[in-house]
């Protein structure tokens, strides 16, 4: 009888351990069955920390919840789309319109398609630090920028006011806007999002003049206040010809782009990408942990995942 009881106990413990290893916990480990069937997902990572935050969470869930391997492909926006053609990119998570790329890769080459909006609402514009608006209340009207030209002159702006831009690969109309609006400014490229952020922080701290290109979603707005310049209002079609643009940037409902091959063969990973929708606040919280709290991408993603199961559980396909 004792041997029977011992045998039964061993079998029960074995069954329990097997169930635990199959089921995972709330933070998620993929089942053995899904891990065996899953492959590699190639996710483009564009050069700003908000996108990095999105890719970190997507990678964490694909790996820990669904058993996929993730290849994070660091490229600028245009080069990411080239990956749809050569097979090096399956997914772009945050597309800022790019009608010219959609025409080439979706309509003409038919190697990509949209996988729906990602929930982020994008804003691009011209900004100054809040202290400048307090001191020069009319500076937010673009028509008054000419009289403030001397405030923004630098050794890089060639005797004109400096307009500080970011990475030249970012979506930008600023050179055309300055020319077509007749403003005495010169675009100077800082080279990166990090450089823009550092300039905004320094201008706020030291109360030095700054006119800059910037955008949302962006964690920096949780730390300091920038005020948007009122450019001529956007109207549908006003930016059709980039050489003649005289209007503000449009509002962007950011979408996801995937390769047609991934849409056809990606299985649950493709369904997961289609289901992925979150807010600017979601993205900013992860980006803040990466940029300010100096957490690794994986740790920042894990922190968000553990606190937001109610958000991401519906992304996971049945």
């Amino acid at each position: 009888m004792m041997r029977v009881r011992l045998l039964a106990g061993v079998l029960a413990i074995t069954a329990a351990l097997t169930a635990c290893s199959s089921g995972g916990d709330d933070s998620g480990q993929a089942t053995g069955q899904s891990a065996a069937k899953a492959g590699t997902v190639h996710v483009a990572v564009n050069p700003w920390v908000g996108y990095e935050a999105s890719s970190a969470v997507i990678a964490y869930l694909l790996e820990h919840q669904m058993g996929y391997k993730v290849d994070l492909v660091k490229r600028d926006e245009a080069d990411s789309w080239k990956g749809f053609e050569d097979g090096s990119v399956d997914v772009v998570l945050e597309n800022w319109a790019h009608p010219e790329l959609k025409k080439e890769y979706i309509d003409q080459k038919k190697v990509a398609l949209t996988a729906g909006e990602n929930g982020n609402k994008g804003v691009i514009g011209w900004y100054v630090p809040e202290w400048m608006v307090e001191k020069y209340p009319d500076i937010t009207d673009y028509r008054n920028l000419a009289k403030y030209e001397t405030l923004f002159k630098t050794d890089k702006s060639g005797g004109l006011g400096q307009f500080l831009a970011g990475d030249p690969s970012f979506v930008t109309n600023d050179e055309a806007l300055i020319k077509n609006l007749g403003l005495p400014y010169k675009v100077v490229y800082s080279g990166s999002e990090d450089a823009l952020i550092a300039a905004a922080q320094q201008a706020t701290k030291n109360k030095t003049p700054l006119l800059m290109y910037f955008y949302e979603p962006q964690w920096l707005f949780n730390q300091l206040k920038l005020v948007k310049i009122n450019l001529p209002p956007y109207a549908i079609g006003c930016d059709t010809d980039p050489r003649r643009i005289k209007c503000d940037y449009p509002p962007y409902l950011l979408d996801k782009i995937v390769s047609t091959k991934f849409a056809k063969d990606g299985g649950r990973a493709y369904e997961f990408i289609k289901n992925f929708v979150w807010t600017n606040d979601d993205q900013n919280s992860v980006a803040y942990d990466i940029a300010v709290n100096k957490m690794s991408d994986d740790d920042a993603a894990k922190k968000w995942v553990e606190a937001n199961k109610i958000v991401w559980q519906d992304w996971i396909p049945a």
Side-chain angles (χ1 to χ4, degrees):
M1 180 64 71
M2 182 61 70
R3 290 180 180 177
V4 171
R5 287 178 180 173
L6 286 172
L7 179 59
V10 170
L11 290 173
I13 291 170
T14 302
L17 289 173
T18 301
C20 288
S21 64
S22 303
D25 59 18
D26 282 350
S27 62
Q29 294 295 326
T31 66
Q33 183 180 9
S34 64
K37 294 181 179 179
T40 299
V41 181
H42 307 278
V43 179
V45 184
N46 293 161
W48 56 91
V49 72
Y51 192 119
E52 185 180 344
S54 296
S55 63
V57 169
I58 288 297
Y60 188 89
L61 289 170
L62 280 169
E63 291 174 343
H64 292 274
Q65 279 289 326
M66 300 177 66
Y68 286 86
K69 293 181 180 178
V70 177
D71 174 28
L72 297 174
V73 184
K74 294 186 177 182
R75 295 184 181 177
D76 66 27
E77 293 170 272
D79 283 341
S80 296
W81 286 67
K82 293 177 183 177
F84 295 138
E85 192 168 19
D86 65 24
S88 59
V89 170
D90 295 319
V91 181
V92 167
L93 292 169
E94 185 177 304
N95 172 54
W96 287 73
H98 288 296
E100 76 289 355
L101 294 176
K102 285 187 172 181
K103 180 178 180 181
E104 179 179 358
Y105 290 96
I106 295 178
D107 298 336
Q108 296 174 349
K109 294 181 176 178
K110 301 186 186 304
V111 294
L113 52 85
T114 183
E117 294 174 4
N118 72 5
N120 291 145
K121 294 176 174 60
V123 177
I124 297 177
W126 295 6
Y127 292 84
V128 293
E130 184 179 38
W131 74 263
M132 295 198 74
V133 180
E134 294 170 351
K135 187 171 183 178
Y136 312 104
D138 64 346
I139 201 170
T140 57
D141 186 333
Y142 81 94
R143 290 169 292 193
N144 295 323
L145 289 175
K147 73 179 184 180
Y148 292 113
E149 170 197 3
T150 56
L151 286 176
F152 299 103
K153 285 183 178 180
T154 72
D155 58 358
K156 296 180 180 179
S157 61
L160 300 171
Q162 175 178 285
F163 178 89
L164 189 66
D167 185 321
S169 72
F170 290 175
V171 173
T172 175
N173 302 327
D174 300 319
E175 291 185 3
L177 276 169
I178 287 170
K179 178 182 177 182
N180 295 332
L181 295 175
L183 297 175
Y185 285 81
K186 178 182 178 180
V187 174
V188 175
Y189 289 95
S190 67
S192 69
E193 178 184 68
D194 287 345
L196 283 177
I197 290 171
Q201 291 170 328
Q202 184 176 16
T204 298
K205 179 181 178 181
N206 300 330
K207 292 196 172 182
T208 51
L210 177 67
L211 175 63
M212 67 185 295
Y213 168 102
F214 214 49
Y215 43 84
E216 299 178 53
Q218 170 54 242
W219 65 264
L220 186 64
F221 289 103
N222 295 339
Q223 188 180 85
L224 55 82
K225 183 76 179 292
L226 299 172
V227 181
K228 194 171 183 287
I229 299 294
N230 295 314
L231 294 170
Y234 176 81
I236 294 175
C238 72
D239 56 351
T240 301
D241 185 348
R243 298 167 299 176
R244 298 182 179 181
I245 289 175
K246 291 184 179 181
C247 60
D248 205 347
Y249 290 86
Y252 294 92
L253 297 177
L254 307 183
D255 60 346
K256 301 158 289 189
I257 310 297
V258 299
S259 73
T260 51
K261 183 179 185 301
F262 181 67
K264 179 181 177 182
D265 302 328
R268 295 179 74 241
Y270 169 61
E271 295 298 322
F272 169 73
I273 295 298
K274 284 206 305 178
N275 293 341
F276 164 60
V277 178
W278 69 350
T279 66
N280 286 14
D281 287 342
D282 289 323
Q283 186 186 92
N284 286 341
S285 68
V286 180
Y288 190 88
D289 277 336
I290 294 170
V292 180
N293 294 332
K294 304 302 180 185
M295 296 176 67
S296 70
D297 287 10
D298 199 56
D299 286 344
K302 181 180 180 181
K303 176 183 173 182
W304 185 90
V305 165
E306 290 178 344
N308 291 277
K309 184 175 182 179
I310 194 172
V311 178
W312 60 259
Q313 62 186 353
D314 290 335
W315 306 346
I316 309 295

